[in-house]
Amino acid sequence: MPATETAETRGVAADDRTAVDRTPHPAPSRAGRQRTFEQANRRLKWAMLAPAVLFVGLMIVFPLVFTLNLSLTDAFGAVNADSAHIGLRNFGDALGDTRRFWPAARRTLVFTVGAVALETVLGLALAMLMRKPFKGMRWVRTVLIIPLLATPVAIGILWLLILDPTNGIANHLLEAVGLPRQEFLGSVGQSLPTLMLIDVWQWTPMMTLLLLAGLTTLPEEPEEAALMDGANAWQRFRHVVLPMLGPTLATALVLRAVDALKTFDLLYATKGAGGGSDFEVETLNVYAYGLTFDYQEYGLAAAVLVLFTLFIIGVVVLLRRRGGRKNA
């Protein structure tokens, strides 16, 4: 009898387990499916981006590491020639060079500050003029971007022909209005200011387009309220438009300043190696190029490039901090 009861009990237990096993499992919730989809999408995104990120990282990290290592050697004559590590001697030689390095650094700063300041003022003025639609606006914008279509080398050659002291059209125009002829790029004293004006001619349109894009996104209500309060055009621009345009202006300044610091094509195309007979337009870029390809002092050239990179980083940090204070 106990055995019969045990068998019956076991049969009931087996039936219970079968019933439990046949019970359908609950379907994943909508939130769970969404979480799973997001995780898979995140993994796929990084898997797709990984090759590009790796390639860009190698293209940035390898040249930086190679240049930094080269700056600590006495490499001369050939990059792959035997060289010895000499520590920071190249940096000391560069920083102690008052004949070429420091004048080149000063010209780099003067060229950048002067050109970018003029481009910002003119670009902002043109952007304000083109802020409101007017008849022929498409043609004006088309003509405005023409200087951006040519390469800096082509621009340099073009202006060499225009500013030629003997046959250039610029001196003929000056004579036509009763002004004396100028040497322009043929003069030691006039070369750097002339190249700054050429840079302004070429890159002011870019500043105009950047600032115009920022102006078109600004809300009109604050300016309309200031107009109703009796503010004139200058007051509205100074106290309403300019503060709202601050982030765009700061970004445009950083982009253009970094680009101006790296200017090489225009200077080399117009003045050649060394930036002229008296190094009158030799910037740090031109100086490093001469050390590399004219004198084959690769270690010293690498040290100059490292210092130049630190100089650019310092300028960017300074501009960003000033822009952040103004926007705060």
Side-chain angles (χ1 to χ4, degrees):
M1 192 70 182
T4 304
E5 291 177 357
T6 303
E8 292 176 353
T9 304
R10 291 176 180 174
V12 172
D15 292 340
D16 291 340
R17 286 195 299 272
T18 303
V20 171
D21 294 337
R22 290 175 181 174
T23 302
H25 295 284
S29 64
R30 184 175 181 179
R33 291 197 302 271
Q34 181 68 21
R35 192 183 309 110
T36 303
F37 175 77
E38 290 177 355
Q39 291 174 350
N41 189 39
R42 192 179 301 113
R43 295 192 187 98
L44 179 62
K45 178 183 69 175
W46 283 111
M48 298 294 288
L49 288 175
V53 172
L54 181 62
F55 176 77
V56 173
L58 289 176
M59 292 298 292
I60 294 175
V61 173
F62 174 75
L64 288 176
V65 173
F66 180 81
T67 303
L68 183 60
N69 178 70
L70 191 64
S71 68
L72 302 176
T73 67
D74 59 353
F76 177 82
V79 177
N80 57 356
D82 293 336
S83 58
H85 279 266
I86 58 175
L88 300 177
R89 187 188 305 170
N90 287 324
F91 293 93
D93 292 342
L95 294 174
D97 183 6
T98 57
R99 179 173 174 268
R100 298 283 296 275
F101 178 82
W102 286 110
R106 180 184 59 81
R107 294 187 201 100
T108 303
L109 187 61
V110 169
F111 179 88
T112 301
V113 172
V116 173
L118 284 174
E119 289 159 8
T120 303
V121 173
L122 294 176
L124 185 56
L126 291 173
M128 290 296 295
L129 290 175
M130 295 191 296
R131 186 183 183 189
K132 302 295 183 182
F134 57 89
K135 187 177 181 179
M137 185 173 183
R138 293 182 179 179
W139 290 102
V140 173
R141 289 188 178 184
T142 302
V143 172
L144 187 67
I145 65 173
I146 288 178
L148 298 175
L149 302 179
T151 62
V153 173
I155 294 295
I157 295 174
L158 171 66
W159 281 98
L160 271 176
L161 298 175
I162 294 174
L163 301 176
D164 184 83
T166 305
N167 301 315
I169 190 175
N171 274 324
H172 289 298
L173 293 176
L174 289 177
E175 287 183 335
V177 296
L179 296 176
R181 300 173 67 91
Q182 303 294 324
E183 295 187 12
F184 296 113
L185 294 174
S187 168
V188 173
Q190 295 180 4
S191 292
L192 189 61
T194 301
L195 286 170
M196 289 167 57
L197 292 177
I198 295 175
D199 190 83
V200 169
W201 175 83
Q202 183 178 15
W203 294 109
T204 294
M206 189 193 78
M207 293 294 289
T208 302
L209 295 177
L210 290 174
L211 297 176
L212 183 59
L215 285 172
T216 56
T217 62
L218 298 182
E220 297 181 358
E221 291 80 5
E223 195 171 356
E224 293 174 353
L227 179 62
M228 294 182 64
D229 290 338
N232 57 34
W234 170 252
Q235 290 172 335
R236 294 196 304 273
F237 170 76
R238 173 66 179 84
H239 300 288
V240 179
V241 175
L242 198 57
M244 291 192 298
L245 191 63
T248 303
L249 184 59
T251 301
L253 275 172
V254 170
L255 291 175
R256 184 65 204 113
V258 171
D259 199 33
L261 284 168
K262 299 184 300 180
T263 300
F264 171 80
D265 313 47
L266 178 65
L267 306 178
Y268 195 84
T270 53
K271 299 297 291 184
S277 58
D278 198 33
F279 312 116
E280 58 267 23
V281 299
E282 185 182 59
T283 60
L284 287 176
N285 259 332
V286 178
Y287 178 50
Y289 179 89
L291 288 174
T292 304
F293 295 102
D294 295 335
Y295 303 105
Q296 297 182 339
E297 296 186 19
Y298 299 110
L300 181 58
V304 171
L305 290 175
V306 171
L307 292 172
F308 187 35
T309 302
L310 295 176
F311 179 68
I312 293 176
I313 293 174
V315 171
V316 172
V317 171
L318 179 63
L319 289 175
R320 296 300 297 177
R321 285 186 177 179
R322 290 182 64 87
R325 290 196 205 103
K326 290 182 179 180
N327 296 331

